[in-house]
């Protein structure tokens, strides 16, 4: 695993640091034995710490790479979640639009279509047409009023027929009396 690489580098760094510590102790002994000659001690410990720093830099690079990969994976996961959320939102909106279409079609367009067919039959003189609605909304009210209008029109037609029959009867009686 990536963690094992970093862990191995840190353990290698600790081992190198321990070895450097031993070398520094030898350099200190050399410094004391050479009557405090810094050059003698420097010769023993010269550039010995570079390996420790190199291994620590390798561990740092491995940790940074691991962090960058984790960050990249998290960003990709977040992007996928974002696109799934957007797709879900679009799908929910489409479903809502379809439901709204069928609701409007059932609640508004169907009653209006019924009213138009009823009105066409009345316009053609068919007073036997019947229209009913139990709906409590505006279109239901419209359909009930169309039914009342048809009943009123049928009443007027009945009165006209009755009056016409009376005129025919009176006319026949007048005609019979004058001939």
């Amino acid at each position: 695993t990536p963690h094992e690489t970093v862990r191995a580098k840190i353990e290698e760094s600790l081992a190198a640091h321990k070895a450097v510590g031993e070398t520094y102790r030898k350099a200190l002994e050399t410094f004391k034995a050479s009557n405090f000659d810094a050059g003698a001690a420097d010769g023993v410990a010269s550039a010995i710490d570079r390996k420790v720093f190199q291994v620590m830099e390798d561990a740092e690079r491995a940790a940074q790479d691991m962090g960058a990969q984790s960050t990249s994976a998290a960003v990709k996961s977040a992007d996928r979640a974002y696109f799934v959320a957007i797709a879900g939102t679009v799908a929910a909106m489409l479903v809502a639009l379809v439901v709204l279409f069928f609701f409007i079609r059932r609640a508004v367009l169907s009653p209006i279509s019924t009213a138009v067919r009823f009105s066409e039959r009345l316009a053609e003189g068919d007073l036997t047409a019947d229209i009913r609605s139990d709906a409590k909304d505006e279109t239901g009210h419209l359909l009930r009023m169309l039914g009342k209008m048809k009943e009123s029109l049928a009443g007027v037609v009945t009165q006209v027929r009755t009056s016409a029959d009376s005129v025919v009867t009176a006319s026949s009686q007048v005609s019979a009396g004058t001939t």
Side-chain angles (χ1 to χ4, degrees), residues 5 35 54 81 105 108 111 116-117 179:
T5 303
N35 203 14
Q54 182 61 45
R105 184 173 171 191
V108 176
V116 167
R117 285 192 306 273
T179 20

Side-chain angles (χ1 to χ4, degrees), residues 116-133:
V116 167
R117 285 192 306 273
F118 178 77
S119 299
E120 287 172 345
R121 287 180 67 185
L122 288 180
E124 292 169 358
D126 182 5
L127 295 179
T128 62
D130 192 25
I131 190 165
R132 297 182 194 283
S133 176

Side-chain angles (χ1 to χ4, degrees), residues 79-91:
D79 282 347
R80 280 191 299 273
Y82 173 75
F83 288 122
V84 166
I86 293 294
T89 301
V90 168

Side-chain angles (χ1 to χ4, degrees), residues 110-160:
S110 179
I112 289 177
S113 177
T114 301
V116 167
R117 285 192 306 273
F118 178 77
S119 299
E120 287 172 345
R121 287 180 67 185
L122 288 180
E124 292 169 358
D126 182 5
L127 295 179
T128 62
D130 192 25
I131 190 165
R132 297 182 194 283
S133 176
D134 295 326
K136 306 282 187 223
D137 58 3
E138 291 80 6
T139 54
H141 185 69
L142 171 68
L143 294 176
R144 285 190 298 278
M145 291 303 106
L146 282 173
K148 282 187 175 184
M149 181 182 75
K150 186 228 30 159
E151 290 170 9
S152 295
L153 183 60
V156 167
V157 168
T158 302
Q159 287 177 353
V160 168

Side-chain angles (χ1 to χ4, degrees), residues 14-83:
L14 288 173
H17 189 269
K18 191 174 188 179
V20 167
E22 292 297 320
T23 304
Y24 280 146
R25 283 187 202 86
K26 286 180 188 173
L28 179 60
E29 291 302 319
T30 304
F31 179 67
K32 289 178 186 177
S34 67
N35 203 14
F36 304 104
D37 180 16
D42 197 31
V44 172
S46 179
I48 193 68
D49 57 353
R50 289 189 183 150
K51 178 169 170 88
V52 175
F53 288 118
Q54 182 61 45
V55 172
M56 287 301 287
E57 286 175 354
D58 291 346
E60 179 186 12
R61 267 189 244 104
Q64 285 177 348
D65 291 345
M66 187 175 67
Q69 289 171 356
S70 295
T71 301
S72 176
V75 167
K76 286 179 184 175
S77 176
D79 282 347
R80 280 191 299 273
Y82 173 75
F83 288 122

